[in-house]
Amino acid sequence: MGIFKENTSQNGVGSLTILALVERKGFFDTPIEFLKGVGPSKADVLKKELNIYTYGDLLRHYPFRYIDRTRFYRIGEITPDLQYIQLKGIIVDKQLIGEQRRKRLVATLQDERGSHLELVWFQGIKFIEKHIHIGKEYIAFGKPNFFNNKANLPHPDLELVSEAKKEFQTALQPVYSSTEKLKLFFLDTKGIMRLVYNLLEQGANFIDEDLPEAPLEQYKLMSRRDALIQIHFPKDSKLLQRSQARLKFEELFFIQLRLLFNKQIKKRLHNGSLFSVVGDNFNGFYTNHLPFELTGAQKRVIKEIRRDTNSGMQMNRLVQGDVGSGKTVVALMSMLLAIDNGFQACMMAPTEILATQHFHSISMMLKDMPVKVELLTGSTKKKQREKLFEELANGELKLLVGTHALIEDKVQFQNLGLVIIDEQHRFGVEQRAKLWQKNSSPPHILVMTATPIPRTLAMTLYGDLDVSVIDELPAGRKPIQTLHKFENHRLRLHGFLKEEIAKGRQVYIVYPLIEESEKMDYLDLMNGYEHITKSFPQPQYQVSIVHGKMKAAEKDFEMNRFKNGETHIMVATTVIEVGVNVPNASVMVIENAEKFGLSQLHQLRGRVGRGAEQSFCILMSSHKLSSEAKVRLDTMERTNDGFEISEVDLKLRGPGDLEGTQQSGVLDLRLADLAKDQQILIEARRCVEQILEEDPMLNMEKNKTLRIYFEKKSKREITWDKIS
Ligand code: ADP
Ligand code: MG
């Protein structure tokens, strides 16, 4: 490997201690204090500032950038668009300029062509001044700055050529993130680089391979040892890339291993309630009360659910389906299946509006059936609540819809067999877990998301769930037409809305509600409302308003007026984002559309296009658009496909910002990027699947490293993915 020796025993006593430790704890788990150059105080600050506790942590503190040490610029080549550059030359002059607080140190570097460049310091002047020697040759590194059309180099790294040669011979020099605190302990990027160097020099040979041979061969992956060396001290950019690819693969591989291994363990451990019969409720509903023909996709998903619940194992299934794809009826039929088999079922929604709406649409569909359904939310009255609890406990009540009020301890079921969680991303993991414990044997879990998420993200976020996709909209729907318009279009917009209302349609007008500017948004909403009521005067036009500051009862009242067709226009904030179903509404106007994220825009648009009429979504924005906002609005105009939109969203925002990803923890990725590294993820997952298919309990010798990894991991932490 060149800079790292194959044999470390020459280090004498030091490495013996290390050896003993490595054998006891494993190299990666060796406490950072044991590293040469790290005393107690440095160890302390490394822990506090960077969460570096062990050798492994330090090795996983990857450089965020590299300095190309192979390329030297000439001073004449410097242009304003250059990023970091490296120059070589002799310091021919140094001067302290200016008074007091405006004091600066200016040194002049002369390159081999005789051109001059000013190196400038504003801080640490005295110290630096002492260490710069006129007449000596230096390597300077920094980001050039232009002042009056003349380049200078502020606060460059400066190294004597004679010294630079000795240390760290690597083509691409790593740059590490550090903090002000760390710098006080000489742990700037160079300091950290030294530590990593020491560590690799002492211990590179203790870095064992942790991937099985099959993927190493199949994907021609670098060994773990070489990858860790190359990612910190790359010989060239090709090797750097290969080391990154290897470590990304490793990162994603182990996430998938954890998810898929847990998934099958869960299946083995937990017997699910057996839904063995398809009985009167299910059949009766299907034959006599279903108001439409199911789509092929709905039928397929119901079959998948039927198969899961009839397998004797616990179902953990995610149903992904675009807005309007008809998830509710799938949920209802699954619940009827549970009831047919003597179990209770419940459905949990993230907001009161949505829970209420589910309750109403399910009640409607069941109105001629002998199945009772009740609603439980935060505003359910005490008396009603107590009655409800009683009926749940004695099994009289089979079907309950509600908000997270469902997970309170007081809610006790007699025999809960199925839990449906709608709009899953709004529920935290703990909430899922609580529901899970509502029965002596865990109920089947069906999670439904209305926000399509990219396949790769689903693999990672819900990797331990089986996934069904409703990829077909009910027949006869006309695709929604989406148009992006500016303020000068408003009069014509109002004219258009009046035409639609004259045809008997209804209209949503939605304003953003973003927390940091809540007051402003509220003002926007109220101004908007005023304008609307002026342009659409009573009694000809009736306007509803719903926003977050209203009481639940008021919201309900207004929602119902709109739903019953008593009002023509619904002015609202994003409280109506999820799940509201008014098929007669045919126009969705989104104000300040540039302020919304893509998935939100798509959700909002999904409120229309639910009837047989042509529907429209009008995105109103100002002319000032960031390039991202423009991509968002263009994407909305271009496509109605939620999955395509989610891919764009992932690329724009990165996975960390997509809804629901923060609490998951799985996305704590150091190297891999779910938007950019989809191919690696797909390969890593396939590889894990193959391994588990052949060796489900990882008993085979060739999978020993995986079992060890897994045992260690599960001892150390209770992971969220055990509890969904
Ligand atoms: P989402 O998947 O967004 O939750 P919903 O379940 O609310 O969708 O369904 C949207 C609308 O489509 C509802 O009015 C529902 O009654 C209707 N619907 C569902 N399935 C079908 C179908 N197979 N044919 C016709 N209409 C359907
Ligand atoms: Mg829905």
Side-chain angles (χ1 to χ4, degrees):
M1 230 36 251
I3 53 173
F4 299 107
K5 299 163 200 83
E6 294 294 321
N7 190 336
T8 51
S9 65
Q10 72 200 63
N11 285 7
V13 182
S15 73
L16 276 183
T17 329
I18 296 283
L19 197 60
L21 252 172
V22 164
E23 274 177 3
R24 194 150 46 85
K25 295 208 81 159
F27 178 71
F28 280 79
D29 292 328
T30 309
I32 196 69
E33 287 89 334
F34 288 85
L35 183 60
K36 197 169 92 188
V38 181
S41 55
K42 275 191 186 174
D44 208 42
V45 71
L46 280 169
K47 288 174 195 172
K48 283 207 182 101
E49 295 289 296
L50 294 177
N51 261 328
I52 294 177
Y53 285 81
T54 63
Y55 284 10
D57 294 338
L58 180 61
L59 286 180
R60 281 187 294 262
H61 186 60
Y62 301 122
F64 68 92
R65 196 160 58 71
Y66 300 85
I67 302 166
D68 186 349
R69 288 305 207 172
T70 56
R71 164 107 210 238
F72 288 95
Y73 282 81
R74 272 183 273 113
I75 290 168
E77 287 177 309
I78 302 176
T79 53
D81 55 320
L82 280 180
Q83 288 295 310
Y84 287 82
I85 56 165
Q86 180 175 246
L87 306 137
K88 205 187 310 189
I90 294 168
I91 297 284
V92 291
D93 185 34
K94 60 175 178 178
Q95 283 189 41
L96 283 167
I97 296 175
E99 290 295 314
Q100 307 253 328
R101 285 164 81 219
R102 316 206 56 199
K103 216 177 210 170
R104 60 191 193 274
L105 170 66
V106 177
T108 307
L109 185 86
Q110 177 182 307
D111 70 7
E112 53 180 19
R113 297 256 172 134
S115 315
H116 286 177
L117 177 73
E118 289 191 344
L119 316 178
V120 192
W121 288 266
F122 302 93
Q123 275 158 8
I125 296 176
K126 267 197 193 145
F127 178 83
I128 295 162
E129 205 262 346
K130 245 194 278 174
H131 285 81
I132 296 181
H133 305 288
I134 291 179
K136 292 216 161 147
E137 196 181 12
Y138 285 89
I139 292 171
F141 173 82
K143 193 171 180 303
N145 185 27
F146 271 75
F147 186 69
N148 284 341
N149 273 332
K150 209 176 129 212
N152 62 55
L153 207 59
H155 279 262
D157 273 0
L158 207 56
E159 253 178 327
L160 278 169
V161 167
S162 52
E163 280 178 11
K165 272 181 193 146
K166 268 187 262 160
E167 222 184 4
F168 307 128
Q169 285 171 359
T170 169
L172 297 167
Q173 186 175 310
V175 182
Y176 297 94
S177 59
S178 177
T179 65
E180 289 308 315
K181 257 258 179 72
L182 281 161
K183 284 176 190 160
L184 292 177
F185 290 82
F186 301 102
L187 292 173
D188 55 359
T189 174
K190 281 250 172 87
I192 293 172
M193 176 165 81
R194 268 185 203 106
L195 292 187
V196 177
Y197 188 89
N198 287 344
L199 178 56
L200 285 170
E201 196 181 44
Q202 274 183 25
N205 289 325
F206 294 118
I207 300 176
D208 292 331
E209 185 54 60
D210 60 351
L211 287 173
E213 231 162 77
L216 289 177
E217 268 172 29
Q218 190 178 349
Y219 300 112
K220 306 245 174 317
L221 298 176
M222 209 179 229
S223 76
R224 191 180 191 207
R225 172 187 179 280
D226 289 351
L228 283 169
I229 292 173
Q230 290 302 325
I231 198 163
H232 288 287
F233 300 102
K235 264 196 171 156
D236 57 46
S237 56
K238 253 213 180 111
L239 285 171
L240 172 62
Q241 262 173 24
R242 283 193 56 206
S243 72
Q244 288 168 331
R246 141 81 211 207
L247 293 168
K248 284 175 181 180
F249 185 95
E250 178 184 322
E251 194 168 38
L252 296 168
F253 176 92
F254 282 103
I255 290 175
Q256 292 300 323
L257 181 71
R258 215 146 51 98
L259 289 166
L260 295 177
F261 188 74
N262 280 342
K263 175 172 154 185
Q264 56 160 31
I265 293 285
K266 222 158 37 182
K267 284 211 164 136
R268 272 158 207 258
L269 284 183
H270 305 299
N271 295 332
S273 319
L274 198 61
F275 296 178
S276 54
V277 297
V278 179
D280 290 347
N281 289 307
F282 187 97
N283 283 330
F285 177 76
Y286 184 69
T287 331
N288 304 322
H289 302 291
L290 189 62
F292 37 69
E293 177 73 10
L294 291 177
T295 64
Q298 285 170 321
K299 283 185 192 160
R300 190 185 65 237
V301 173
I302 289 172
K303 265 192 204 135
E304 284 165 350
I305 293 166
R306 160 100 182 99
R307 201 184 52 216
D308 283 359
T309 52
N310 191 24
S311 72
M313 288 181 279
Q314 186 205 10
M315 171 172 75
N316 273 285
R317 185 169 284 279
L318 171 77
V319 176
Q320 275 210 73
D322 213 340
V323 272
S325 61
K327 290 182 292 291
T328 317
V329 72
V330 171
L332 173 60
M333 292 182 70
S334 315
M335 294 197 285
L336 292 175
L337 194 58
I339 298 172
D340 275 342
N341 287 277
F343 291 94
Q344 293 165 301
C346 70
M347 180 167 183
M348 184 162 80
T351 65
E352 199 157 330
I353 288 191
L354 191 51
T356 309
Q357 173 154 324
H358 277 320
F359 170 69
H360 286 312
S361 53
I362 287 174
S363 304
M364 269 299 283
M365 287 197 264
L366 292 179
K367 71 179 187 308
D368 298 321
M369 301 249 320
V371 179
K372 197 163 98 176
V373 53
E374 293 284 0
L375 175 68
L376 176 67
T377 70
S379 40
T380 305
K381 294 265 158 31
K382 190 162 173 248
K383 227 171 142 193
Q384 167 70 358
R385 208 169 256 267
E386 274 161 8
K387 179 161 165 273
L388 233 151
F389 289 165
E390 202 183 301
E391 290 179 358
L392 276 181
N394 67 25
E396 218 174 292
L397 179 60
K398 299 288 186 204
L399 234 174
L400 183 64
V401 177
T403 55
H404 47 262
L406 289 186
I407 56 182
E408 283 165 21
D409 293 335
K410 272 174 275 170
V411 185
Q412 294 292 338
F413 293 84
Q414 186 198 43
N415 193 6
L416 182 63
L418 171 68
V419 173
I420 295 178
I421 306 176
D422 194 18
E423 319 293 350
Q424 193 271 344
H425 56 277
R426 302 199 169 210
F427 289 103
V429 171
E430 281 160 39
Q431 291 174 315
R432 269 210 269 169
K434 271 197 164 175
L435 267 173
W436 208 78
Q437 292 151 0
K438 286 248 171 243
N439 219 43
S440 53
S441 74
H444 296 297
I445 306 274
L446 190 65
V447 169
M448 307 203 299
T449 68
T451 317
I453 53 175
R455 199 156 83 92
T456 50
L457 198 57
M459 269 183 199
T460 312
L461 273 180
Y462 308 112
D464 57 339
L465 305 180
D466 294 304
V467 179
S468 294
V469 182
I470 307 186
D471 49 6
E472 186 184 347
L473 292 181
R477 296 263 175 89
K478 294 198 180 76
I480 302 162
Q481 276 185 31
T482 303
L483 302 160
H484 174 202
K485 297 285 173 199
F486 299 99
E487 196 52 42
N488 56 6
H489 206 85
R490 188 163 298 277
L491 261 184
R492 261 178 291 169
L493 171 68
H494 285 177
F496 172 69
L497 298 183
K498 283 177 181 165
E499 281 169 29
E500 284 292 302
I501 292 170
K503 284 191 218 155
R505 307 283 109 75
Q506 288 164 287
V507 175
Y508 292 104
I509 302 177
V510 176
Y511 287 82
L513 195 54
I514 302 164
E515 266 159 49
E516 62 242 49
S517 60
E518 204 174 315
K519 267 199 190 126
M520 278 292 291
D521 289 332
Y522 186 68
L523 263 180
D524 275 358
L525 173 78
M526 283 314 178
N527 282 338
Y529 178 66
E530 225 166 82
H531 273 119
I532 294 292
T533 47
K534 272 191 197 129
S535 307
F536 296 83
Q538 283 189 326
Q540 192 182 357
Y541 298 104
Q542 298 295 327
V543 183
S544 280
I545 181 164
V546 169
H547 57 78
K549 293 196 171 156
M550 287 162 71
K551 295 225 170 65
E554 290 175 87
K555 274 190 228 168
D556 275 356
F557 178 76
E558 283 300 319
M559 282 306 303
N560 279 333
R561 288 208 315 144
F562 187 65
K563 216 170 177 173
N564 300 334
E566 291 161 34
T567 56
H568 304 102
I569 299 177
M570 164 62 77
V571 177
T573 56
T574 42
V575 288
I576 62 150
E577 180 189 338
V578 220
V580 172
N581 190 22
V582 181
N584 191 48
S586 67
V587 188
M588 166 64 66
V589 180
I590 304 177
E591 297 287 348
N592 302 323
E594 72 272 25
K595 286 197 187 175
F596 289 88
L598 256 180
S599 75
Q600 232 181 350
L601 289 172
H602 181 62
Q603 280 294 310
L604 286 169
R605 177 168 61 184
R607 298 311 109 212
V608 295
R610 298 184 156 234
E613 308 306 326
Q614 176 63 54
S615 291
F616 302 88
C617 174
I618 320 279
L619 306 168
M620 296 297 287
S621 85
S622 70
H623 281 283
K624 265 196 239 150
L625 291 177
S626 68
S627 56
E628 269 199 19
K630 195 159 181 326
V631 173
R632 288 197 297 267
L633 299 180
D634 288 351
T635 305
M636 287 295 293
E637 278 191 300
R638 189 186 74 238
T639 179
N640 277 310
D641 180 342
F643 285 93
E644 193 180 334
I645 289 172
S646 73
E647 294 283 351
V648 177
D649 204 21
L650 179 63
K651 294 215 167 84
L652 282 181
R653 299 206 286 170
D657 285 331
L658 296 191
E659 262 179 291
T661 56
Q662 288 88 348
Q663 76 259 29
S664 73
V666 267
L667 291 181
D668 185 18
L669 298 170
R670 292 194 178 231
L671 277 181
D673 174 332
L674 290 184
K676 293 190 193 123
D677 300 319
Q678 305 202 352
Q679 197 50 38
I680 301 181
L681 172 60
I682 288 166
E683 280 160 6
R685 182 167 173 108
R686 198 180 303 142
C687 178
V688 170
E689 280 167 352
Q690 275 164 11
I691 289 170
L692 288 177
E693 199 165 299
E694 184 191 39
D695 183 15
M697 295 312 289
L698 301 174
N699 285 327
M700 291 171 136
E701 185 57 28
K702 63 180 177 184
N703 295 325
K704 200 170 122 195
T705 52
L706 303 184
R707 199 173 57 244
I708 292 171
Y709 162 88
F710 204 79
E711 282 164 2
K712 249 166 111 186
K713 193 105 201 157
S714 58
K715 242 184 263 165
R716 218 178 300 146
E717 54 189 65
I718 300 163
T719 52
W720 67 272
D721 42 31
K722 294 221 182 77
I723 52 178
S724 49

